[in-house]
Amino acid sequence: MEKKQQLEQASTEATCQVSLSGFDLINSPRLNKGTAFSGHERDVFDLHGLLPPHVGTLDEQIERRTEALADESTPFTKYSLLRDLQDTNETLFYALLVRNIEEMLPLVYTPTVGEGCQRFSEIWRKPRGLFLSYPNKDRIDQILNHSRYDDVKCIVVSDGERILGLGDQGAGGMGIPIGKMALYTALGGIHPEHCLPILLDVGTDNEDRLKDPIYIGWRHHRVRGVEYDDFVDVFVNSVKKRWPHVLLQWEDFAGSNAARFLARYRDHLCTFNDDIQGTAAVAAATLISAINVTGIPLEQQKIVMLGFGSAGIGITNLLAQFMQDRGLTEQEARDRFFAIDLYGLVTENGKGVRPEQLPYARKEQEVRGWKQPNGEITLLDVIRNAKPSVLIGVSGQPGAFTEQAVREMAKYSDRPVIFPLSNPTSRSEATAQDLMDWTEGRALIGTGSPFEPVSVGGTKVPVTQTNNSYIFPGLALGIVASKARRVTGTMVKAAAEELVRNLPTQKDKQGSLLPSLSQARKLGRLIGMAVGRQAIRDGQAQVASEDALSRELQANFWEPVYVPYERK
């Protein structure tokens, strides 16, 4: 009730000057109120006859949309209905999300957004965001310069090549930037008009998409090499020229490109990669929460990382930094990790080892006795020999956490910590119920996608979703509010530390590993403030003090309510 009163109060505090009228006003998603246009507004904006005579309220509209969602039989049809609502009435869409975060988040983002990307061409109806295609590479400046984008402060961009664990979805990958930006607003409070989703359409190597007669993307195999890099460079330079202080978030690029672009551009504009940095922050916080339960200090953990691309390396680097904060040397921290990639355990002279993996590569002499006849060291081999206490998966390989490996791990740990973080659900390294069964109910589990509660001794126990949405909306809010020039590693770490301060297990060892998703919007504000403070300490903020930061944060935190309109 208190929250509803705050929203109603906010709706009376401002009046919006509007130049559109009639059909054009109703067809503007940001301005449309549907049946909630007042009698006065219907007079002033020539709306009589275009709307049914009943003057409704936002609450009534939310109830109507909730009933419509309940009538849909599958998550995908619910996703499609919500996308239509977003493209029709943004205030109603976000009000519905904010009031029902736990129910709506799996529908507008993971896991349902995965199918949304695969079937994006079926449901695309109205423009949202920008498709910047390779044939239009010489028009990017012109496209970005339209006045409708004057208020943009945040961009999420993808090229659609590594959508969740589903691989190359081409132009359908636009579902991810749209979904991420929706959470910028729903959980970070950033106004929709400040958010711009972008898809760099450089083709696709997904033959199913290329052969699909209704595919909406550029029908061409992916542009790669120098031409691809040049295209991305043109895009970044156009963004810098158009919005010198914009936040650019990279999303769902292929692993090698994700790390490469972050390294190339992080010192040239305000940018971060959620797959690398957001995943690392929420995984680190969730592991610390599990440690609150087990009582074994972080610096004493032995951690196996299955999947050692950009996400796995990002998680490992951040956890190693937390270990160093607790007194370990850099090398001592690295020695606590056992990284496994496509070719098995990463070793000094192993097959396909990349430079960024080398700091965590094990010495050949150390693991010589672990090898299979073919020379590979598997997950089971690592568990038998290293006896880890923590197992984290970002491999995108369903079933990679085998029953034999998990049961072996449970021999050496009273409370094994196991995080199958790949999503969507179909790509999870193991199901939550299997992990509980294979460890006799002793595992502490965090999953990348939502799972139904597991049965432990006849009792249903909720499963913690280790979701990036705990981190990136607040991170973005803090960057915007502080007007940060760059995103530093310590700003990302500050986001993780603020989440740690709000863990239920700080007070109750029987509590959930992470706060309820219903608290995610409140956490967004807290994390935003922590990130902004760190930006000030790092010399990256353009606000002078914490008081100024607090004012900016408040000014940038939007509530989805209808405000009165006057004719401009």
Side-chain angles (χ1 to χ4, degrees), residues 169-190:
Q169 300 302 319
M174 177 58 113
I176 294 294
I178 289 174
K180 287 281 185 179
M181 299 256 74
L183 300 191
Y184 268 47
T185 299
L187 306 184
I190 299 174

Side-chain angles (χ1 to χ4, degrees), residues 38 56 61 192 196 222 275 288 302 353 385 389 408 410 495 517:
S38 69
Q61 292 175 329
L196 180 62
R222 278 192 175 270
D275 300 315
I288 291 170
K302 288 184 179 179
V353 177
N385 289 277
S389 51
E408 186 72 19
L517 280 171

Side-chain angles (χ1 to χ4, degrees), residues 115-127:
E115 187 175 357
C117 290
Q118 291 175 307
R119 301 175 65 179
F120 193 84
S121 296
E122 296 177 34
I123 61 172
W124 186 88
R125 293 178 180 86
K126 294 183 179 181

